[in-house]
Protein backbone atom coordinates (compact mmCIF):
# COMPACT_ATOMS: atom_id res chain seq x y z
CA UNK A 1 0.00 0.00 0.00
CA UNK A 2 1.29 3.45 -0.93
CA UNK A 3 0.73 5.85 1.94
CA UNK A 4 -0.28 9.47 1.50
CA UNK A 5 2.53 11.88 2.34
CA UNK A 6 1.74 15.09 4.21
CA UNK A 7 0.41 17.90 2.01
CA UNK A 8 3.59 19.88 2.62
CA UNK A 9 5.90 17.26 1.07
CA UNK A 10 9.24 19.04 0.54
CA UNK A 11 10.65 19.36 -2.95
CA UNK A 12 13.78 17.35 -3.72
CA UNK A 13 17.05 19.21 -3.27
CA UNK A 14 19.06 20.19 -6.32
CA UNK A 15 21.63 17.54 -5.38
CA UNK A 16 18.94 14.86 -5.66
CA UNK A 17 17.27 16.24 -8.77
CA UNK A 18 19.24 14.05 -11.19
CA UNK A 19 18.13 10.94 -9.30
CA UNK A 20 14.48 12.05 -9.42
CA UNK A 21 14.71 12.62 -13.17
CA UNK A 22 15.65 8.96 -13.64
CA UNK A 23 12.94 7.46 -11.41
CA UNK A 24 9.16 7.20 -11.54
CA UNK A 25 6.98 7.45 -8.46
CA UNK A 26 5.16 4.17 -7.57
CA UNK A 27 6.68 2.23 -10.47
CA UNK A 28 8.00 -0.39 -8.03
CA UNK A 29 4.39 -0.93 -6.87
CA UNK A 30 2.83 -0.69 -10.32
CA UNK A 31 5.20 -2.61 -12.58
CA UNK A 32 3.62 -6.05 -12.11
CA UNK A 33 0.16 -4.69 -12.87
CA UNK A 34 1.50 -2.69 -15.81
CA UNK A 35 3.07 -5.80 -17.30
CA UNK A 36 -0.15 -7.76 -16.77
CA UNK A 37 -2.51 -5.13 -18.21
CA UNK A 38 -0.07 -3.88 -20.84
CA UNK A 39 -0.65 -0.19 -20.13
CA UNK A 40 0.36 2.46 -17.58
CA UNK A 41 -1.58 5.47 -16.33
CA UNK A 42 0.72 8.48 -16.11
CA UNK A 43 -0.45 11.21 -13.73
CA UNK A 44 1.05 14.53 -12.78
CA UNK A 45 1.30 14.42 -9.00
CA UNK A 46 2.02 12.13 -6.07
CA UNK A 47 -1.44 12.60 -4.56
CA UNK A 48 -3.14 11.66 -7.82
CA UNK A 49 -1.04 8.52 -8.10
CA UNK A 50 -1.69 7.51 -4.49
CA UNK A 51 -5.44 8.12 -4.84
CA UNK A 52 -5.59 5.81 -7.86
CA UNK A 53 -3.70 3.03 -6.07
CA UNK A 54 -5.93 3.36 -3.02
CA UNK A 55 -8.94 3.04 -5.34
CA UNK A 56 -7.54 -0.23 -6.66
CA UNK A 57 -6.19 1.17 -9.93
CA UNK A 58 -2.69 -0.21 -9.58
CA UNK A 59 -1.14 0.77 -12.93
CA UNK A 60 -0.75 4.45 -11.97
CA UNK A 61 2.66 6.12 -11.90
CA UNK A 62 3.97 9.69 -11.75
CA UNK A 63 7.17 11.51 -12.52
CA UNK A 64 9.09 12.30 -9.34
CA UNK A 65 8.45 16.00 -8.84
CA UNK A 66 9.71 16.89 -12.32
CA UNK A 67 8.41 17.08 -15.87
CA UNK A 68 8.56 13.76 -17.67
CA UNK A 69 12.12 13.04 -18.78
CA UNK A 70 13.76 10.87 -21.44
CA UNK A 71 15.29 8.65 -18.75
CA UNK A 72 11.91 8.10 -17.08
CA UNK A 73 10.32 7.29 -20.43
CA UNK A 74 12.98 4.72 -21.29
CA UNK A 75 12.55 3.18 -17.83
CA UNK A 76 8.79 2.88 -18.36
CA UNK A 77 9.42 1.33 -21.76
CA UNK A 78 10.89 -1.73 -20.06
CA UNK A 79 7.40 -2.62 -18.82
CA UNK A 80 5.01 -1.33 -21.50
CA UNK A 81 4.82 0.76 -24.65
CA UNK A 82 1.25 1.86 -24.02
CA UNK A 83 0.30 4.73 -21.74
CA UNK A 84 -2.72 6.84 -20.80
CA UNK A 85 -1.70 10.39 -19.86
CA UNK A 86 -4.02 11.89 -17.23
CA UNK A 87 -2.53 15.21 -16.15
CA UNK A 88 -4.33 18.07 -14.43
CA UNK A 89 -6.84 19.85 -16.72
CA UNK A 90 -5.40 23.34 -16.22
CA UNK A 91 -3.03 25.43 -18.33
CA UNK A 92 0.08 24.00 -16.67
CA UNK A 93 -1.28 20.47 -17.05
CA UNK A 94 -2.01 21.02 -20.76
CA UNK A 95 1.54 22.28 -21.30
CA UNK A 96 2.94 19.29 -19.41
CA UNK A 97 0.78 16.96 -21.50
CA UNK A 98 2.09 18.45 -24.75
CA UNK A 99 5.68 18.03 -23.62
CA UNK A 100 5.07 14.48 -22.39
CA UNK A 101 3.47 13.53 -25.72
CA UNK A 102 6.56 14.64 -27.60
CA UNK A 103 8.86 12.58 -25.40
CA UNK A 104 6.62 9.50 -25.41
CA UNK A 105 6.15 9.61 -29.19
CA UNK A 106 9.89 9.97 -29.66
CA UNK A 107 10.31 6.72 -27.74
CA UNK A 108 7.70 4.76 -29.69
CA UNK A 109 4.78 4.76 -27.24
CA UNK A 110 1.12 4.28 -28.13
CA UNK A 111 -0.68 7.04 -26.24
CA UNK A 112 -4.19 7.98 -25.16
CA UNK A 113 -5.07 11.10 -23.18
CA UNK A 114 -7.71 11.29 -20.46
CA UNK A 115 -9.13 14.68 -19.48
CA UNK A 116 -11.48 14.38 -16.52
CA UNK A 117 -14.74 16.37 -16.43
CA UNK A 118 -15.33 19.51 -14.38
CA UNK A 119 -11.60 20.34 -14.54
CA UNK A 120 -10.86 17.80 -11.81
CA UNK A 121 -7.53 16.10 -11.24
CA UNK A 122 -7.58 12.32 -10.54
CA UNK A 123 -7.43 12.75 -6.74
CA UNK A 124 -10.35 15.19 -6.68
CA UNK A 125 -12.34 13.13 -9.18
CA UNK A 126 -12.03 9.96 -7.08
CA UNK A 127 -13.07 11.81 -3.92
CA UNK A 128 -16.17 13.05 -5.74
CA UNK A 129 -16.95 9.85 -7.66
CA UNK A 130 -15.57 6.30 -7.51
CA UNK A 131 -13.09 3.96 -9.14
CA UNK A 132 -15.70 2.43 -11.45
CA UNK A 133 -16.58 5.85 -12.87
CA UNK A 134 -12.88 6.55 -13.43
CA UNK A 135 -12.36 3.20 -15.15
CA UNK A 136 -15.30 3.94 -17.44
CA UNK A 137 -13.74 7.23 -18.54
CA UNK A 138 -10.38 5.53 -18.89
CA UNK A 139 -11.81 3.07 -21.40
CA UNK A 140 -13.17 5.94 -23.50
CA UNK A 141 -9.99 8.04 -23.45
CA UNK A 142 -9.21 9.21 -27.00
CA UNK A 143 -5.95 8.73 -28.83
CA UNK A 144 -3.38 11.46 -28.35
CA UNK A 145 -4.07 12.80 -31.85
CA UNK A 146 -7.81 13.13 -31.28
CA UNK A 147 -6.98 14.93 -28.02
CA UNK A 148 -4.71 17.33 -29.93
CA UNK A 149 -7.42 18.00 -32.51
CA UNK A 150 -9.92 18.85 -29.76
CA UNK A 151 -7.40 21.11 -28.04
CA UNK A 152 -6.72 22.90 -31.32
CA UNK A 153 -10.45 23.36 -31.80
CA UNK A 154 -10.95 24.77 -28.31
CA UNK A 155 -7.92 27.08 -28.33
CA UNK A 156 -8.23 28.66 -31.78
CA UNK A 157 -10.83 30.67 -33.67
CA UNK A 158 -11.36 28.18 -36.47
CA UNK A 159 -13.87 30.43 -38.20
CA UNK A 160 -10.91 32.56 -39.28
CA UNK A 161 -8.07 31.63 -41.63
CA UNK A 162 -5.49 32.78 -39.05
CA UNK A 163 -7.05 30.52 -36.44
CA UNK A 164 -6.90 27.53 -38.76
CA UNK A 165 -3.28 28.25 -39.66
CA UNK A 166 -2.30 28.46 -35.99
CA UNK A 167 -4.16 25.24 -35.20
CA UNK A 168 -2.54 23.27 -38.01
CA UNK A 169 0.93 24.65 -37.23
CA UNK A 170 0.52 23.34 -33.68
CA UNK A 171 -0.21 19.84 -35.00
CA UNK A 172 2.60 19.62 -37.55
CA UNK A 173 5.35 18.72 -35.02
CA UNK A 174 3.28 15.69 -33.98
CA UNK A 175 2.64 14.63 -37.58
CA UNK A 176 6.38 14.80 -38.21
CA UNK A 177 6.99 12.32 -35.39
CA UNK A 178 4.76 9.72 -37.08
CA UNK A 179 7.38 7.64 -38.87
CA UNK A 180 4.97 5.03 -40.24
CA UNK A 181 3.88 6.19 -43.69
CA UNK A 182 0.36 4.70 -43.59
CA UNK A 183 -0.35 6.13 -40.14
CA UNK A 184 0.98 9.53 -41.20
CA UNK A 185 -1.23 9.49 -44.31
CA UNK A 186 -4.31 8.73 -42.22
CA UNK A 187 -3.54 11.48 -39.73
CA UNK A 188 -2.88 13.99 -42.50
CA UNK A 189 -6.28 13.21 -44.02
CA UNK A 190 -7.86 13.55 -40.59
CA UNK A 191 -6.38 17.03 -40.13
CA UNK A 192 -7.58 18.12 -43.57
CA UNK A 193 -11.11 16.86 -42.87
CA UNK A 194 -11.25 18.23 -39.34
CA UNK A 195 -10.30 21.78 -40.37
CA UNK A 196 -11.86 21.67 -43.86
CA UNK A 197 -8.50 22.42 -45.50
CA UNK A 198 -7.21 21.05 -48.80
CA UNK A 199 -5.15 17.94 -48.09
CA UNK A 200 -2.41 18.97 -50.52
CA UNK A 201 -1.92 22.21 -48.57
CA UNK A 202 -1.44 20.18 -45.38
CA UNK A 203 1.10 17.96 -47.12
CA UNK A 204 3.06 20.98 -48.36
CA UNK A 205 3.26 22.41 -44.85
CA UNK A 206 4.20 19.01 -43.47
CA UNK A 207 7.12 18.74 -45.88
CA UNK A 208 8.37 22.12 -44.64
CA UNK A 209 8.05 20.93 -41.05
CA UNK A 210 10.00 17.76 -41.86
CA UNK A 211 12.83 19.81 -43.39
CA UNK A 212 13.00 21.91 -40.25
CA UNK A 213 12.84 18.82 -38.03
CA UNK A 214 15.68 17.05 -39.83
CA UNK A 215 17.81 20.18 -39.95
CA UNK A 216 17.88 20.14 -36.14
CA UNK A 217 18.99 16.49 -35.94
CA UNK A 218 21.70 16.07 -33.34
CA UNK A 219 20.88 19.35 -31.60
CA UNK A 220 17.42 18.72 -30.13
CA UNK A 221 16.79 16.10 -27.47
CA UNK A 222 13.83 14.46 -29.18
CA UNK A 223 15.41 14.48 -32.64
CA UNK A 224 18.51 12.73 -31.34
CA UNK A 225 16.28 9.80 -30.33
CA UNK A 226 15.19 9.09 -33.92
CA UNK A 227 16.26 5.76 -35.33
CA UNK A 228 18.15 5.74 -38.64
CA UNK A 229 15.27 4.05 -40.44
CA UNK A 230 12.85 6.68 -39.15
CA UNK A 231 15.07 9.48 -40.46
CA UNK A 232 15.26 7.70 -43.83
CA UNK A 233 11.47 7.41 -43.90
CA UNK A 234 11.07 11.12 -43.21
CA UNK A 235 13.56 12.00 -45.93
CA UNK A 236 11.39 10.20 -48.48
CA UNK A 237 8.72 12.82 -47.79
CA UNK A 238 11.07 15.50 -49.13
CA UNK A 239 12.81 13.45 -51.83
CA UNK A 240 10.26 10.77 -52.79
CA UNK A 241 12.18 9.71 -55.93
CA UNK A 242 15.68 9.77 -54.46
CA UNK A 243 15.90 5.98 -54.13
Amino acid sequence: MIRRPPRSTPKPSSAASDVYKRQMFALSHARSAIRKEGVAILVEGYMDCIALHQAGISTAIASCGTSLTEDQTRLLGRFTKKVVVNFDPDEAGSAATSRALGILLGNGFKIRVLVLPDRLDPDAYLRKNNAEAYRHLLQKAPTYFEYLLRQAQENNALETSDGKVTAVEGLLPYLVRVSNRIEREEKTKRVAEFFSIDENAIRAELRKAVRNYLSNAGTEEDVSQLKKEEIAELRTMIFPHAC
Side-chain angles (χ1 to χ4, degrees), residues 15-29:
S17 61
D18 286 343
V19 174
Y20 277 82
K21 289 177 182 179
R22 295 193 297 269
Q23 302 298 321
M24 301 204 78
F25 181 72
L27 182 58
S28 60
H29 294 268

Side-chain angles (χ1 to χ4, degrees), residues 70 98-108 144 169-180 184 204-239:
E70 289 282 349
S98 296
R99 185 177 185 281
L101 290 181
I103 294 174
L104 290 164
L105 287 170
N107 285 275
Y144 80 92
E169 285 179 345
L171 290 167
L172 289 176
Y174 297 96
L175 279 174
V176 169
R177 288 184 173 93
V178 181
S179 59
N180 182 277
R184 188 172 60 243
E205 292 303 313
L206 181 56
R207 283 193 291 273
K208 292 179 186 177
V210 168
R211 287 191 184 96
N212 181 61
Y213 193 74
L214 292 176
S215 69
N216 292 323
T219 61
E220 298 226 359
E221 189 177 76
D222 58 342
V223 177
S224 67
Q225 301 302 318
L226 283 175
K227 299 176 184 177
K228 289 182 179 180
E229 58 267 28
E230 292 174 326
I231 292 177
E233 170 66 21
L234 289 175
R235 290 192 188 282
T236 63
M237 294 181 59
I238 306 174
F239 307 109

